[in-house]
Amino acid sequence: MIGRAGVPEPAARLRVPEEVADVIALAGGPGFGRWLEQIKATGGCAWPVALNGWRTIADACTGEVLDHFDTAGEPGERLLTRCGNRRAAVCGPCARLHAGDTWALVRAGLLGGKGVPETVRAVPRLFVTLTAPGFGAVHRAGRGGPGGRPGGDLGRCPHGRPAACAGHHGWDDPVIGQPVCFECYDYAGHVLWHAHAGRMWKAFTDNLWAHLAAALGLSRSALRKAARVSYAKVAEYQRRGAVHVHAVIRLDGAGGPGTTAPAGASAKLLGKCVRSAARAVALGVPYTAATGERVLRWGQQLDVQPIGGREDQGPTDDQVAAYVAKYVTKAGGATAGGWAGLARPVTGPAMITAAPVSAHVRALLGT
């Protein structure tokens, strides 16, 4: 920095932000090299965990000290480790590591490798998407109205608003996913469905065994002795804040990967059983005065595609592995108003009020 007389001002008079001053001090300190090693070891983790303490390894018989480590000799007297958070909105470096691991595991489960024999390619394999039901009309991308036609008489809800959106929305329109009528939207149903999503999946898998046994002409116990069904699933938030469940389903013989599925089993038969099993789910929720008596079901939209194969038109093994890896690290940033501002646990009503989210997401959190 040059003064008015053209003479450099003393360094002490330079005004730099406190963070920059800390970085300068750190870079000029004796422990900078070791600190840089720690940062590299964490892969550039955004929220590293700082450990403080010591560890001693000794021979149990002789008491001889074999190794000793103390963080007192580390920069700042602490050792940095990865936070391990899998959500990209929280920590990108850790999320990328998690996504890579997921891709490798799912791909091995479809093509073989990492201890899984390549014969898994020949057994029935499906990529299935289960959806949440509708909880009220929301704005959607594209043209609104019946059949995608804008305008016309769409009717009115009890609050005098249109029963559906008649507008045209681009894919990046922030209104997509927002309720057409906030008063009509079933927020209690939406929240209850998500609270029971784990039980909904369990009911589906239980049904699948029953439907598959019936299709093969076996009892459930006989089928469990002859086959094994493996799953890998991930949830993807829709713009309305409800989830899709994407699942990879593989049908093996009783010995697991590398063994042949029961006679008559095929991807087509498995797909038929997946559809009937999902539609048969009807999970009752205990009655309360606030929510009434409810029966939870999967949504009408159900997508079942065979994976790979020369005659199949479904996604390839690599595409499925990449898709699952992508959504295993993705938070709800694509929802209406986004969840990105709430990548950490909600601690109370004040946090909900101050959160940078849409009215729809705020109503879901409040419910």
Side-chain angles (χ1 to χ4, degrees), residues 149-205:
R149 296 187 301 273
D153 185 11
L154 303 178
R156 296 279 171 175
C157 75
H159 306 97
R161 300 181 181 88
C165 173
H168 182 106
H169 302 296
W171 289 100
D172 58 347
D173 193 328
V175 78
I176 296 174
Q178 299 280 343
V180 176
C181 177
F182 281 82
E183 294 177 90
C184 287
Y185 196 85
D186 183 12
Y187 282 100
H190 185 138
V191 171
L192 280 174
W193 192 92
H194 279 80
H196 292 82
R199 290 181 58 195
M200 293 285 291
W201 174 259
K202 177 65 165 55
F204 161 69
T205 56

Side-chain angles (χ1 to χ4, degrees), residues 126-130 249 267-268 270-272 274-275 278 302-306 314-315:
L126 301 176
F127 186 54
V128 176
T129 299
L130 302 171
I249 302 179
K268 183 176 181 180
L270 181 60
K272 180 180 178 181
V274 164
R275 291 185 178 90
L302 174 63
D303 187 48
V304 181
Q305 300 183 64

